[in-house]
Amino acid sequence: MADHLEASVTLPSDPVSVATARRRVTEVLTEWGLPEGAEAADTVRLIVSELATNAILHTFGQSPTFTVVLQLERDETLRIGVTDSHPRWPQRLPAAVQQDNGRGLVIIRSLTAESGGRLSVTPTADGGKTVWIRLPWTTPAL
């Protein structure tokens, strides 16, 4: 097994791209040995859905594309990154805010913590950012 596997997809910042990102992630995780019906696969798909949705909705049309990156490091750690070119970093809404949306980051943080992972944000060279999720990988890759 290689020490590092990586896959990525760049998609237009359009709501239909969220489903495409989920499908691509499912394909990659299956190739790497994680069964499609596994709880961890569901968690990763939900995280990607929320991150992709944030990259579309909260960039206010200023990021024409977003990129999803999956990295498997030494069969131990799965890194999920979603990059957009908008300079605004994700912000958690106060709990008192009553909205029908805006809870994506809370969901992402909860899923990440429940899985024993962590969230970080890094700037990109073009002034955007990548939201990274690091999760333990418990299924051996093929």
Side-chain angles (χ1 to χ4, degrees):
M1 174 72 206
D3 280 346
H4 181 86
L5 296 173
E6 186 167 332
S8 67
V9 62
T10 298
L11 299 165
S13 291
D14 184 293
V16 299
S17 294
V18 175
T20 304
R22 271 194 315 268
R23 277 192 305 275
R24 179 66 184 130
V25 165
T26 299
E27 292 167 359
V28 170
L29 294 177
T30 300
E31 289 172 16
W32 291 352
L34 187 62
E36 188 173 333
E39 184 177 335
D42 291 340
T43 298
V44 172
R45 279 192 295 270
L46 184 51
I47 288 171
V48 168
S49 291
E50 293 295 333
L51 289 174
T53 299
N54 285 352
I56 294 165
L57 295 180
H58 300 295
T59 60
F60 310 105
Q62 295 179 28
S63 182
T65 64
F66 67 95
T67 301
V68 178
V69 176
L70 296 173
Q71 299 173 341
L72 182 57
E73 300 169 357
R74 293 188 194 96
D75 267 358
E76 296 173 356
T77 303
L78 177 67
R79 288 179 36 130
I80 306 157
V82 176
T83 302
D84 65 63
S85 58
H86 193 275
R88 182 173 175 236
W89 284 33
Q91 299 174 357
R92 185 174 10 182
L93 293 176
V97 174
Q98 298 295 319
Q99 289 181 250
D100 291 334
N101 60 16
R103 291 183 181 80
L105 193 56
V106 171
I107 292 168
I108 294 164
R109 285 183 187 276
S110 294
L111 289 169
T112 300
E114 287 172 12
S115 300
R118 65 184 178 97
L119 179 145
S120 61
V121 183
T122 58
T124 61
D126 68 355
K129 78 276 189 190
T130 302
V131 179
W132 288 104
I133 305 296
R134 179 182 290 265
L135 300 172
W137 180 264
T138 57
T139 301
L142 299 175

